[in-house]
Amino acid sequence: SPYLSANIRMLGDALGRVLADQDGAAAFKLEERVRRFARQLRTSPTPELIATLTDLIAGLTVPQLNSLIKGFTLYFGLVNLAESMERLRALRERDLLHPTEPRSEGIAAAVAELAAHHVPAAAIQEWLEGTLVMPVFTAHPTEARRRTTLGKLRHIGAALTELTNDRQGIQPLLPHERESLMIQIEADITGLWQSDDVRAVKPTVVDEVKNGLYYFENVLLEVVPRIYRELDTALRQHYPRHNWHIPPLLRFGSWMGGDRDGNPFVTPEVTVQTVRLLRSAMLSYLIKKVDDLRYDLSPATSQVPISAEFEASLARNAAIFPKLAEKAHEQYPREPYRRQCMFIHQKLENSLAHTVEYLPQWGFAAELPLDGSFYRHADELLDDLGVMERSLQQHSGGRLAARMLHDLIINIEVFHLHSATLDIRQHSSRHLSALVEVLQEAGICDDFAALNETERLALLTAELATHRPLVPLRLAYSPETNETLQTFRTIAALLEQIDPQIIESYIISTTTSVSDVLTVLLFAREAGLYQPGKYSRLNIVPLYETDDDLRHAGGMIDACLNQPAYREHLSLRGNLQEVMLGYSDSNKDSGFVAANWALYRAQTELTEVAERQGVRLRLFHGRGGAVGRGGGPANRAILAQPPGTLRGQLKMTEQGEVISDRYLEPQTGHRHLEQVVNAMLRGGLQPAPVPEAALCETMETLAVLSRQHYRALVYENPDFLTYFRSATPIAEISRLRIGSRPASRKNSNRIEDLRAIPWVFSWMQSRHTLPGWYGLGYALAAYLGCERLEIGDWFVAGQTSFQSSIVNRQSSIVDLQSPKLDLLRSMYKNWPFFRAMLDNAQMILAKADMDIARRYAELVPDQALAERMYTTIATEHARASLLICAIAEIGELLDTMPILQRSIKRRNPYVDPLSYVQVELLRRLRAAPDAPHHEEVEAAILLCINGIAAGLKNTG
């Protein structure tokens, strides 16, 4: 697009002026010189040019390198913004050119497609009634930007939109207005330049919660009502005879402040503080909106009557607040809606005061505000607003009700009184160790951990059947056990004393047995969260993460549902079973292809179990931003789910830098959510056909072959760990001060103990991008019978020449008449799962760069080892790239996704210098780890890590 090119050029020029102003003309010239070398390397990567750039960077001081890094990093932030704005501009331009056609991947398009396929209105209504789509925001060390940075970028984005509208002639600007916007942009860039790029102190969990709230306060509360209006309009347009009721199908969740798996900083006290923040933010928003509503709703009884129901509600509120009632009547004697707003305002103020001052009181009756004088449950506020809405509708005020009041009701239905529902997560091993200690102290079992599964289940079933308390009021166990038990008590207090909707799910990491689930149920009972026959206040959610656990997930849930004690709990939760599937650890365990297939199979088996057992299933997809952690376009991921598994209940994590990419400002947030709803409607009401057995057998073969090849490298090659630790910045990433959680669950160097985020992040930084594709090329080649091909010479000259050789060499490498290749091509064209898998792989293959990866390999002390490992990885990269192109019938990676292809090519000349700088800094740091300038070098490395992540995107 000429507009995108013009905006990037304009932002780059503005950045150049700021750079020269801040660091001097010499710094600007250095930046330009490095950029020219990098661009030349992309077209002619000669050894002489590589040596020239390497020597130039090696001769720079750390302050000079910092200036380089800062310039390129800020450039990526601005390019990301420009690309996001351009996507929105292009969408709007298409809408203007074809105003009567529904937007591609929009809500209206999905409803039109359902109508065209004669899906009955009753079927859609029934589906809507049972639907829940819940994005869950998590804090991860791949999103380093703080609220101030996000605010400045959003400010620049607004100015960019105005300047683009001016260029298009949509909203022409006067010269002084244009100049003012440019001054504003350069001021914001200057502010970004002068801000700390690397945190001096690791963020606390509470910092992460506050950062997450930015997206609710600035984007989601504005966007969500618009999504509902569009769905309502589309349904009424295509199904005008149906009386539609649209329930709150969207909800939002958060792990920030609740995810304690491996994070010692998430304590019961932090969880309480998190709840206060989530609830205070929403209540503050509601107070402002109700004040706005008071000015908006001015109907007077002298002009129009009110309903009896509303009159009774006013009388009840007046009895609760007699003094306020007198004041309200004096101020608005004939304006009852304004009086009701005053009562609601006071209840919200009381709710906010209770929230801010709240401290949990467990074990005895807590002192709460007078019933009716504050809101604990969202339904209480919805009742007060609902009588107003119905009264307006009954007395010719429907248009008034459909404005601000209805939007407010929608937001309360979606966000309740707390912005986001807080999930709690803990590792199964913590529950086991706590139970061992509790049972020992109670004299029930000397060593619960030593029992086999049958014995464990018998003991747990017996304990759940008793009525006596197992845990004393005063906790006198080890600190870890006390913390585990106190977490359950804190949840109980929060639900009883502040908000019964704030916490719904308790997630068990690394669930390997039924006893893991019953242990949590027992602790819930001990805290008063579960009482058989009466209530159960938590969804117990097993999380299946490893390849082995995913294989047994269906059988394990089946066994859980056959346990009478667990089935009793589930009946009290509406027979809804939530199951979480982990994309990260399964990939680290078995590789990209095997993990994708294991997840596909697990979803199918879990759905079959749920149907047989007569329960509803909600799948919770733990996706990251990177392809190696389940990342990729959300709408394609939803449509690629196994047929029959998308029953309207879907949770999915929003992680890392994809949060700001999707929700930086309202327009991008709206586009993302409309694509999600589009995919849910189409996938839920028009599922793809079940794949034939031959396709599943082929995938099983590919998964086995890929897993073998992946594990042979990662877990069985004795050289691998040395290469990984030396040829990537994993050690430095572990010290990166952008997340509150440690990089490893245990203090060890084992791959098994390393968290998936730094695992993927480090390979992305070093441009290998290995977790997103390794094993795929070998599996495809072995399946096609061409795994022994000599392809080492294809990547020696660089990725560009390799890609251009694909078309020329393809026919001589793979028999294009092969029935197996024909089958793979058919799978790519007709099976959404297989297509999404290969498209995600080719995206991450295109972001890899084997020439740059070779520079990182030079950091390995043993260069013979480095050459062996590098050649193995680069060969697999070439093989995977070649065969994906053969299957997709394209000449170059991403030929079918030209916008993404151009974006990557546009970024590479700017990412490459950062990679060269990072290699040089790593070399300096590792050569003299105790030198006086150690902290200065390390800070520069951390800044460089941020820059490369911004440039590549999809890194975490």
Side-chain angles (χ1 to χ4, degrees), residues 315-495:
R316 285 193 301 272
N317 285 327
I320 295 170
F321 302 108
K323 290 184 179 179
L324 181 61
E326 290 179 17
K327 179 181 176 182
H329 200 272
E330 289 175 6
Q331 193 168 352
Y332 304 118
R334 294 187 297 189
E335 295 171 317
Y337 297 99
R338 287 179 162 174
R339 295 204 300 274
Q340 179 82 328
C341 286
M342 290 181 71
F343 293 134
I344 294 172
H345 175 101
Q346 188 59 54
K347 290 184 185 183
L348 288 168
E349 287 282 7
N350 293 348
S351 306
L352 180 59
H354 172 58
T355 298
V356 170
E357 298 164 3
Y358 173 74
L359 289 173
Q361 302 172 58
W362 191 88
F364 51 90
E367 293 184 14
L368 302 178
L370 180 71
D371 273 353
S373 69
F374 80 118
Y375 296 118
R376 190 163 47 157
H377 196 290
D379 286 350
E380 298 164 355
L381 175 55
L382 288 170
D383 286 344
D384 278 346
L385 293 171
V387 295
M388 295 169 68
E389 182 180 42
R390 290 189 292 274
S391 179
L392 285 165
Q393 289 169 342
Q394 290 165 18
H395 298 95
S396 305
R399 290 185 178 87
L400 267 178
R403 292 172 58 197
M404 191 186 303
L405 176 57
H406 189 64
D407 283 359
L408 184 60
I409 287 172
I410 287 171
N411 273 341
I412 296 164
E413 288 178 336
V414 171
F415 300 100
H416 293 166
L417 302 179
H418 49 247
S419 308
T421 300
L422 183 65
D423 283 349
I424 306 296
R425 182 171 76 138
Q426 182 56 282
H427 199 277
S428 61
S429 62
R430 284 293 298 271
H431 303 138
L432 176 60
S433 63
L435 185 59
V436 167
E437 193 170 349
V438 167
L439 293 175
Q440 281 176 345
E441 289 293 321
I444 294 171
C445 179
D446 289 337
D447 189 359
F448 180 79
L451 303 181
N452 61 37
E453 179 66 3
T454 302
E455 293 167 334
R456 289 184 183 187
L457 290 176
L459 192 155
L460 287 165
T461 301
E463 284 301 317
L464 284 164
T466 67
H467 298 288
R468 60 169 172 75
L470 181 63
V471 179
L473 185 62
R474 181 177 178 275
L475 300 179
Y477 304 104
S478 66
E480 291 79 11
T481 294
N482 286 345
E483 194 275 338
T484 298
L485 297 171
Q486 191 60 43
T487 295
F488 284 92
R489 292 181 174 184
T490 300
I491 296 168
L494 289 166
L495 293 178

Side-chain angles (χ1 to χ4, degrees), residues 531-786:
Q531 187 171 346
K534 293 187 176 180
Y535 59 80
S536 189
R537 294 185 173 136
L538 280 180
N539 296 326
I540 298 176
V541 184
L543 166 52
Y544 300 109
E545 301 173 88
T546 67
D547 181 68
D548 188 57
D549 289 342
L550 286 167
R551 288 176 181 275
H552 296 99
M556 205 180 305
I557 290 295
D558 197 27
C560 277
L561 296 175
N562 288 330
Q563 290 287 326
Y566 187 75
R567 199 58 184 260
E568 163 70 11
H569 143 76
L570 205 64
S571 68
L572 296 169
R573 298 296 299 171
N575 282 314
L576 172 68
Q577 177 60 58
E578 185 176 319
V579 178
M580 186 170 184
L581 303 173
Y583 285 66
S584 308
D585 286 295
S586 55
N587 182 292
K588 183 163 68 74
D589 184 47
S590 59
F592 174 72
V593 178
N596 272 273
W597 184 235
L599 286 156
Y600 187 97
R601 276 202 330 266
Q603 291 175 69
T604 302
E605 291 165 7
L606 286 165
T607 301
E608 291 170 355
V609 167
E611 285 185 352
R612 187 173 68 252
Q613 291 276 7
V615 301
R616 291 184 300 150
L617 178 67
R618 177 188 297 160
L619 291 173
F620 183 1
H621 299 268
R623 297 177 180 274
V627 168
R629 300 189 56 244
N635 59 322
R636 292 185 192 175
I638 292 169
L639 292 171
Q641 301 308 303
T645 63
L646 199 62
R647 302 296 175 86
Q649 293 284 324
L650 177 72
K651 285 175 71 174
M652 53 189 177
T653 52
E654 298 278 33
Q655 303 185 16
E657 73 286 347
V658 297
I659 295 177
S660 61
D661 191 48
R662 291 172 175 171
Y663 301 100
L664 178 62
E665 43 77 46
Q667 287 73 31
T668 55
H670 173 267
R671 179 56 176 162
H672 171 63
L673 289 177
E674 76 169 347
Q675 288 176 312
V676 168
V677 174
N678 169 287
M680 285 294 294
L681 284 165
R682 292 165 58 208
L685 289 158
Q686 281 192 294
V690 176
E692 297 174 5
L695 307 190
C696 295
E697 290 168 7
T698 300
M699 264 311 307
E700 184 66 35
T701 299
L702 293 174
V704 170
L705 291 168
S706 174
R707 186 179 191 275
Q708 289 171 350
H709 195 65
Y710 172 85
R711 289 192 65 87
L713 175 74
V714 175
Y715 292 99
E716 297 164 18
N717 190 318
D719 296 338
F720 179 79
L721 192 58
T722 300
Y723 186 83
F724 171 57
R725 292 285 173 186
S726 301
T728 77
I730 179 59
E732 292 72 24
I733 286 171
S734 300
R735 296 194 291 273
L736 187 59
R737 293 183 290 270
I738 56 174
S740 68
R741 194 161 66 169
S744 291
R745 286 190 171 95
K746 300 177 183 178
N747 186 20
S748 83
N749 285 327
R750 298 191 332 143
I751 299 296
E752 292 90 336
D753 296 327
L754 182 69
R755 287 193 174 278
I757 299 164
W759 162 256
V760 173
F761 201 28
S762 57
W763 286 115
M764 289 294 294
Q765 287 283 311
S766 63
R767 310 290 290 280
H768 293 75
T769 72
L770 179 147
W773 51 265
Y774 194 87
L776 173 61
Y778 174 82
L780 293 172
Y783 175 74
L784 292 168
C786 56

Side-chain angles (χ1 to χ4, degrees), residues 189 283 299 360 403 428 511 604 663 828 862 867 873:
I189 294 174
L283 289 169
R403 292 172 58 197
S428 61
T511 306
T604 302
Y663 301 100
Y828 181 78
D862 183 344
E867 186 61 29
I873 294 168

